[in-house]
Amino acid sequence: MTFQNSLEFAKQLDAEDKLSKYRQEFHYPQVNGKDVIYFTGNSLGLQPKRTKKFVDDVMKDWRELAVEGHFYADKPWWDYHERLATGLGRVVGASAMEISVMNTLTVNLHLLMVSFYRPNNKRFKILCEEKAFPSDQYMLQSQVRFHGLDPNETIVEVKKREGEHYWRTEDIVDKIKEVGDELALVLLGGVNYYNGQVLDMKTITSAGKSVGAFVGWDLAHAVGNVELKLHDWGADFAAWCSYKYMNSGPGNASGIFVNERHLNKKDIPRFEGWWGTKKETRFLMQPEFDPIETADAWQLSNPPILSVAPYLASLELFDEVGMNALIEKQRKIVAYLEFILKEIDKEVESSFEIITPSERGCQLSVLLHGEGRALFDYLMKNGVITDWREPNVIRLAPVPFYSSYSDMYNFGQILKQGILQR
Ligand SMILES: *Cc1c(COP(=O)(O)O)cnc(C)c1O
């Protein structure tokens, strides 16, 4: 399709967009009395309007039923989280039994490391990407030290090539082969938070498995954004937060995937709590742990219902629309944004450099050569919410649920003004 940098053309695309009606399902912050152009769904997704009812229902059940809500609420609390397993399975490519919803992302990564990072004298190394998200780095380093090992000798980082802004699959695979039978674990971000690159999870998972390592994925930026087939790829485990593309609200419950091959085992190393033991016998309060046959065996505590309810509300929207339709719109709207950026670049004779490779999801990371923070401040003041990374990268993530083609066009105009008035 040939794009045009005009409001008329953008409006035409909106009119043809089957998902445009979902805009009405979300609340928008206001700047100068207007809905903002929201590019930070990769950081915190907008609030779905239907979320309030899900939360209100829990408040009502608690008010009217108190402890009885555990069993007699409309959606009883004791198995509330199970309602997400099937829908989330569809989003990440897994069966319901491989999914659980609990805690928060970094906590879950730590818990999964207990099961899937089991270093011995021979096999102890961990492979990750250079400059991984800080929380993941801290998590890995502290796990390594916890096992009495030295992070410098244990964590192997795959680097980008000199002068390049992305990782090459062959470099990751070669590194996996090089570390070979010393490799205990591959743990990478499926979509990189900084450059927006989607890694070839299928190829990398299979490379890791072929040298005998466990393979896990941090899907914080991938879930609800790109196609995932965790089960078919053969990943051992994965974890994600739900507040980015999945719109569950700040700090709300995280999801995990544990491959079927690791389920229903009593001898797997795992930190355990009463919500991981079989429901049928849980309230007999017996001393022996009897693991649930699903990924719920990793549950420790009774779930924070007020944190899970918004996730369920938002998942309903994903169920309604489906990942295929979201990805289809994503490809087109991101391509349109890329086109707009290049047009504006020509008009203002600036030099934008899109550092996101073609393997991408919603996010474009753009190096604005010669521009500074003042431009970011201008955008924010004019109703464009983006995210600025020093020294001069903006990350722009149109989200198929709630971003419009007109947003892309209008953003281009505001960006142009911001650069010209400098
Ligand atoms: C957003 C993000 C996190 C956040 O972790 P929390 O435990 O939810 O605060 C961790 N890792 C990556 C890669 C992320 O993108």
Side-chain angles (χ1 to χ4, degrees):
M1 167 177 276
T2 29
F3 290 134
Q4 293 170 26
N5 184 19
S6 75
L7 185 56
E8 197 191 357
F9 182 81
K11 282 188 167 164
Q12 181 61 33
L13 291 181
D14 283 331
E16 293 161 6
D17 173 13
K18 289 192 292 269
L19 300 192
S20 61
K21 61 172 189 250
Y22 283 94
R23 254 179 105 75
Q24 313 309 321
E25 294 274 352
F26 291 86
H27 291 291
Y28 292 79
Q30 304 288 305
V31 170
N32 308 329
K34 285 202 311 212
D35 290 354
V36 296
I37 299 173
Y38 197 70
F39 279 123
T40 42
N42 55 352
S43 193
L44 183 75
L46 292 180
Q47 183 184 129
K49 289 180 181 163
R50 67 180 71 183
T51 301
K52 185 171 187 306
K53 172 156 191 337
F54 281 68
V55 173
D56 285 348
D57 284 350
V58 177
M59 295 299 283
K60 175 169 178 287
D61 288 334
W62 175 25
R63 192 166 60 235
E64 295 177 0
L65 300 170
V67 72
E68 298 281 273
H70 279 298
F71 297 106
Y72 302 111
D74 228 16
K75 300 186 180 83
W77 304 329
W78 81 314
D79 59 1
Y80 194 102
H81 58 286
E82 290 179 15
R83 292 178 174 76
L84 288 95
T86 302
L88 269 177
R90 277 194 281 271
V91 172
V92 301
S95 64
M97 73 160 75
E98 294 171 309
I99 301 290
S100 190
V101 171
M102 58 193 213
N103 312 312
T104 47
L105 173 54
T106 308
V107 172
N108 284 339
L109 287 171
H110 274 296
L111 291 173
L112 289 161
M113 291 290 280
V114 172
S115 301
F116 298 107
Y117 180 56
R118 310 183 217 159
N120 57 38
N121 286 344
K122 184 151 182 285
R123 204 182 265 286
F124 60 96
K125 291 191 175 166
I126 299 174
L127 183 133
C128 66
E129 71 276 45
E130 70 171 332
K131 298 198 180 127
F133 192 86
S135 198
D136 298 41
Q137 295 189 49
Y138 308 148
M139 182 280 292
L140 287 177
Q141 291 162 14
S142 61
Q143 283 281 339
V144 164
R145 287 195 305 269
F146 173 74
H147 285 284
L149 298 167
D150 177 354
N152 292 319
E153 286 159 19
T154 307
I155 300 174
V156 179
E157 293 186 350
V158 183
K159 308 218 179 304
K160 297 174 218 133
R161 292 188 190 182
E162 192 67 35
E164 293 186 348
H165 295 293
Y166 63 97
W167 288 268
R168 295 194 186 209
T169 307
E170 71 254 40
D171 291 352
I172 299 174
V173 170
D174 287 350
K175 191 59 99 179
I176 288 172
K177 287 186 184 147
E178 185 190 313
V179 184
D181 53 15
E182 284 185 351
L183 191 59
L185 173 69
V186 176
L187 182 70
L188 296 159
V191 174
N192 184 260
Y193 81 98
Y194 188 80
N195 70 357
Q197 176 178 6
V198 183
L199 291 186
D200 183 344
M201 290 175 258
K202 180 178 182 202
T203 302
I204 294 166
T205 300
S206 121
K209 295 311 295 169
S210 75
V211 301
F214 284 124
V215 179
W217 292 98
D218 180 332
L219 300 178
H221 279 258
V223 71
N225 177 13
V226 299
E227 182 179 54
L228 298 168
K229 294 188 167 174
L230 291 174
H231 179 87
D232 290 351
W233 294 336
D236 292 293
F237 70 96
W240 55 88
C241 49
S242 57
Y243 48 78
K244 292 176 178 169
Y245 294 105
M246 293 216 71
N247 313 321
S248 79
N252 278 340
S254 157
I256 66 161
F257 160 87
V258 178
N259 195 297
E260 195 180 344
R261 73 174 88 95
H262 302 298
L263 300 180
N264 211 8
K265 291 207 168 136
K266 282 198 181 174
D267 58 352
I268 191 166
R270 178 172 51 208
F271 286 167
E272 295 172 339
W274 72 323
W275 236 253
T277 197
K278 287 212 177 85
K279 283 191 288 189
E280 297 72 26
T281 49
R282 181 178 304 151
F283 296 102
L284 301 178
M285 303 299 200
Q286 284 162 346
E288 202 202 332
F289 185 81
D290 190 8
I292 301 180
E293 286 141 354
T294 73
D296 282 341
W298 274 261
Q299 292 261 355
L300 299 182
S301 302
N302 72 99
I305 303 302
L306 286 166
S307 152
V308 180
Y311 199 1
L312 185 59
S314 151
L315 190 59
E316 217 179 64
L317 286 163
F318 279 84
D319 258 340
E320 225 170 275
V321 175
M323 283 308 299
N324 289 344
L326 290 169
I327 290 168
E328 192 186 324
K329 174 169 175 190
Q330 173 205 91
R331 296 227 165 96
K332 192 160 160 183
I333 197 166
V334 174
Y336 189 55
L337 173 62
E338 184 179 28
F339 164 82
I340 295 282
L341 282 166
K342 287 181 175 162
E343 289 298 299
I344 301 299
D345 194 27
K346 276 188 259 170
E347 288 180 29
V348 298
E349 296 175 25
S350 184
S351 57
F352 303 160
E353 186 185 352
I354 297 176
I355 61 172
T356 305
S358 56
E359 300 79 27
R360 66 193 186 194
C362 290
Q363 177 180 325
L364 289 181
S365 303
V366 189
L367 252 169
L368 300 169
H369 295 292
E371 304 297 335
R373 218 192 138 86
L375 177 62
F376 168 75
D377 293 338
Y378 180 89
L379 293 174
M380 294 293 275
K381 251 192 11 228
N382 286 278
V384 179
I385 303 199
T386 71
D387 144 313
W388 182 265
R389 298 273 143 165
E390 293 298 338
N392 54 352
V393 168
I394 51 171
R395 301 187 303 167
L396 304 166
V399 172
F401 264 126
Y402 50 73
S403 297
S404 70
Y405 294 90
S406 307
D407 283 346
M408 302 305 111
Y409 170 79
N410 290 329
F411 161 68
Q413 295 306 303
I414 297 168
L415 178 66
K416 183 166 132 184
Q417 288 312 317
I419 291 172
L420 289 180
Q421 65 135 40
R422 182 160 44 85

